[in-house]
Amino acid sequence: MKNMQQMMRQVKKMQEEMQKAQEGLKEKVVESSAGGGAVMVKANGHKEIIDITIKPEVVDADDVEMLQDLVLTAVNDALRKVDEMVGKEMGRFTGGMNIPGLF
């Protein structure tokens, strides 16, 4: 019975540490760019896009599709980088195992 109580304390401590780590991810930011820096995107560890910068020289009313593609590419790359960052950060709790719904 004593071992069970000890194990439950360890689980609770790990849950608290994971919660703190997840909260800390909101403060971590990744950057991505497309078109040689023409479009820059920043996202935090909660997969929120927090900034998009577009250089004026890529804004062309005759080629809106190119700008849309650059934004899409930069956003998708930023979100991929967030996934990698979260995986590394939270992987220390799971030992590299992917546990669905955990983060």
Side-chain angles (χ1 to χ4, degrees):
M1 193 60 135
K2 200 171 197 176
N3 285 340
M4 182 63 94
Q5 290 174 343
Q6 199 171 26
M7 186 175 79
M8 293 304 291
R9 278 193 294 267
Q10 288 175 337
V11 168
K12 184 176 180 181
K13 181 180 177 187
M14 186 174 87
Q15 285 175 327
E16 290 169 356
E17 289 175 2
M18 287 177 67
Q19 181 67 32
K20 285 180 186 177
Q22 285 176 328
E23 290 169 9
L25 285 170
K26 188 165 187 158
E27 304 303 317
K28 293 189 177 195
V29 175
V30 298
E31 286 188 30
S32 182
S33 68
V39 175
M40 300 285 297
V41 173
K42 291 182 183 178
N44 67 22
H46 285 187
K47 288 190 172 182
E48 298 169 334
I49 303 302
I50 57 174
D51 188 45
I52 296 177
T53 305
I54 300 172
K55 290 188 176 178
E57 58 266 21
V58 298
V59 179
D60 181 355
D62 294 329
D63 196 2
V64 175
E65 288 180 11
M66 181 196 64
L67 181 56
Q68 291 170 334
D69 288 343
L70 291 174
V71 171
L72 188 62
T73 298
V75 168
N76 284 331
D77 188 53
L79 294 177
R80 182 189 54 74
K81 288 179 179 180
V82 169
D83 284 341
E84 290 174 5
M85 178 182 65
V86 169
K88 286 178 185 175
E89 187 74 23
M90 301 308 288
R92 61 190 170 119
F93 297 106
T94 63
M97 292 182 349
N98 185 11
I99 301 172
L102 190 57
F103 45 84

